[in-house]
Amino acid sequence: MFRLTTSLLYGSMAAVRAHGTKDAHAKAVAGGVPGVLGVRREDKNKWERRAPLAPRHVQELVKKGIKVIVQPSTRRVFTDNEYKQAGAILQEDLTECATIAAVKEVPIELLLPGRTWLFFSHTIKAQACGMPLLDAVLQKKVRLVDYECITESGRRGDKRLVAFGNFAGYAGAIDFLRGLGERFLALGYSTPFLHIGSAFMYPSLDEAKRAVSLAGDAIREHGLPPALCPFVAVFTGRGNVTQGALDIFKLLPFEFIDPGDLPKLHEQGVGSADNCRKLYLSIATSEHMVRHKDGRPFDKRDYYAQPDQYEPIFQDAVLPYSTVVINGMYWDARYPRLFTHEDIHRNVMQGHDRLLGVCDITCDADGSVPTRQFTSIEHPFFVYNALSDATSCDLDDPGILFHAVDHLPSELPREASEHFGNCLLEFLPALVAAQAPETPNSGDTASLPVPVRGAVVAEGGALTREYEYIAQLRAVNERSDVEETLMRQDQHRPVGPHGVQAPPACANLEITGHLFDTRFINKVCDLVESHRGRVQIMNIDVGGGVKDSSRALMVVMTHTQDSLQTTLKTIMDAAQEEPNISVRRAGETTSGAGQGDGSQLVESKDSKKILVLGSGFVVGPLIEYLLRDGNNVITVASIMKKEMEALSVQYGHRCQSQYLDVLSTDAEMEELRDQMVKESDVIVSLVPATMHVGVAQLAVKHGKHMVTASYVSEDMEKLHEQAKQAGVVIINEVGLDPGIDHMSAMKMVEEAKAEGSEIIKFSSLCGGLPAPEAAGSSPIGYKFSWSPRGVLTAAKNAAKWSQEGQLKEIPGSELLTCVRPLALNNALALDVLPNRDSISFARLYGLSDAPTFFRGTLRYRGFCERMYAASQLGLLELGPLPRLAGKQSKKEWMAALLETPEDNLRQAIDERIAGGFGAKVGASFIEWLGLLSNEKMPSVNIENPIDVMTSLLQREEMLYRKGERDMVAMYHELVVRLANGSYERRTATLIEYADPKGATAMARTVGVTAAIAARLVLEDASKFQAGVQRPLSKEWYDPMLQLLEDEGIRLDERAEPASAEGAAAL
């Protein structure tokens, strides 16, 4: 056995030596030089040829003035010369670098102290394998940035921004096809799969895909052996891993088939000539994997909220008809397994021996599929014999082929590195700019981009606030290992048949709340240990920091059922005495028993009760935010029963629903409304604005605080003194607009005043719009997620503002003509129109003396022209207009609206809008609405033109389609005269997009903002003035803007010199 030297493996100049020791590094000097980035070579194993940055990424950084030092490597997929040509310096020594990027964990002895290091650390769940490295990070005062934690909002669990994408799926599918070719040959069948190699055997992903495509051509022409057909490949889930694997299989001739149709396909028997020339691809999702124990219809949100109430069906409904299973879905111990060894054995014994292979890309040990062992790139397969329960590495042996390689992206190092670098590149300039801090909380971490800030695990010799939980979780894990050993050695454990010790009695507990700052998780371990039991943590979702709510799923094991019940009772009793903790027991399992049917919630004695009125789009993000605190319990009250029950199912046992009519004068309903307000700690009113005052009166009556996202009405303002005397905070206007606009604007205004600057111009613009890629199908560049009526009525609101010292007013009939263009950035060409009464807000902002004060609404170009044409034709009139009654066709109705004969309708339209704003596009818009056709009128009150217009706009092109997203845009502009007499323009821009699979941008910005206000009131209402409030003072906007930024919602502020000429012009 021999060892190669470092210079042999990685350098390009040293001669080959068969023996020797690694080169010694120069003595590391703490700190490094800001502006210098190091790229470490990978050495975890011989297959790790990836890099965090490709040469082209290095070239971009060098162009920005960043010095890049790359360690030489003869293994890396990119040559040293490629990096050198990109402008990097090739050298072994990285001591000059203040920031160093790697992919995998760094050997402790090579971890330079006092640097910012970026890599996958495997420490955030207190994994035992990562703790020595974490100790070294702390001892060496390294600032550790873990890629796994770089997310959109900076909070763990949110969408990851730096990852290897679909590459595990690509490589796993390619390797698996190669294995199937060899396995089928062992079974006596030659197939085109035999000509596919492992992914690492190809110089590029394109070449690997070409090999799969050639196999597909052969299948299309000659078919597969009939004994293997119909060939059914079942994929689990719809995530990135599965999509990557699907992309490879779709290079073969295929036909999609629903899992429910597999039995019918199976009835056709062994392959026909037709189905031998294609593969059947089937995607199994949750509804194909489980069913409710009570026989209820499958409900995805209910399943995720209460998985213990569901039982597995995949093993009977899908597995018997599958040729291969490709497993790429997320799984943890809360959910039933897809299938087990026992299921495979049973199917074989019953003659359902069709399963030939399992590709477990997720590589969860004892996870959703029965993977007995992980494999390696050089030895990627094993065979599992269900009859003997044995495994073999010989593919000629009988059984099922298993593939389970846990570092698949390294098989496609070039493309994976290119993708990874694309994700990482934008964050590097900020990280490279400064040194790692020498002491905790003393560096520039607070100024890093939000996604990266939340990924800083440690700095200055200490864990950061968000990761302090690791120390406690580590202690729990270490104790669990000791407890397991002691439990196995315990002589008191019952003995089962044949003298074998009986398996322990077990129960699953879901514990939510402040697990770490209260040390409750440690207390649970103490209690279990006192009963000679054991705790195993199966899954843990950690909050934003030690003081934020976390959730742990753990299995408690004791010797007997009696001792288990005693142990659980002590845990439940402890939870009742502990604030901020809730415990839910999800079923119970014992030796030889199935799952129980009970679930129990234990609320702490200090639980905060939140009453949410309304169940619309904004409620979901609000609930999600507030339930992060395990001390909060929410009741959603609404007349929309289906919506509120769906919310209750989605968000689980701490979110209840109650039918409630806020306006009802029924005595029982009034009593219920009164009682619900009385029993709550805070009321969040998200019902229509006209309903808030009645709710506020009840809040004042019972001394309860209240939050709304709506404007303060005159009637609400009249409650100020009553609320003030009752010590009640009624905070209004905490949404997007109003809300974020107020707070961000006031911050800019107060900062300017504090420095002695004079504000010459203030402009605030906001709009909720379709994202650019979704706007094209609508002629007005607008889409609706609820009734268009509100948008139509707003298009006729009068407006007034101040401009260069003059009061400007425009009647509602001409609002849409008063537009000006705005290029918010290179991609967004928008129009601005005035938004109601700006003058009243100038008083609220303390800017009555500012020469220009303007608030506007943003729309895409073309909206105002077309809507103005509609307005000119009377389509926005409220009605009723009796002459429209009884009209059958749209053309007849339109002619009656314009009081013209039908045969003169086109001319009448042209004359009405001729020469005016929107004349060029107005007629075509009316035709698009169908008002020149003989189609039937919609089923609305046709005497009211605005109701007809509302109905006509509710067509497919105007609604958000699946996968389309919305956007909110906000833009503030201040022009100030500084104390030295010079002028400066200051802007703040917010552009927020929806997650197509989550909440809309509008719902998120409104819901999260209202939730933050509710949180602050719950935490300490005494910090705020009692009465009817807006978030215009520093006591409100400082904490709220910071908490919004923590959620990734922030305005980008900039400043540039301005000239005195035209400083106040719009």
Side-chain angles (χ1 to χ4, degrees), residues 3 145 166 173 262 402 434 701 711 801 876 898 934 984 1063:
R3 178 171 59 181
V145 178
N166 299 359
L262 290 178
F402 269 77
K701 172 185 173 182
Y711 284 108
W801 66 97
L876 304 189
L898 297 183
N934 289 315
E984 188 173 77

Side-chain angles (χ1 to χ4, degrees), residues 221-282:
E221 182 175 356
H222 304 294
L224 290 168
L228 299 176
C229 300
F231 191 108
V232 177
V234 175
F235 298 79
T236 62
R238 295 185 179 275
N240 288 339
V241 170
T242 295
Q243 290 303 317
L246 263 174
D247 287 347
I248 298 302
F249 270 76
K250 288 191 312 189
L251 297 171
L252 306 168
F254 72 92
E255 177 182 326
F256 275 121
I257 183 170
D258 187 89
D261 293 330
L262 290 178
K264 184 184 297 184
L265 178 67
H266 179 67
E267 290 173 1
Q268 297 175 9
V270 176
S272 66
D274 178 59
N275 65 29
C276 284
R277 285 181 164 79
K278 62 186 173 185
L279 280 68
Y280 290 90
L281 309 185
S282 188

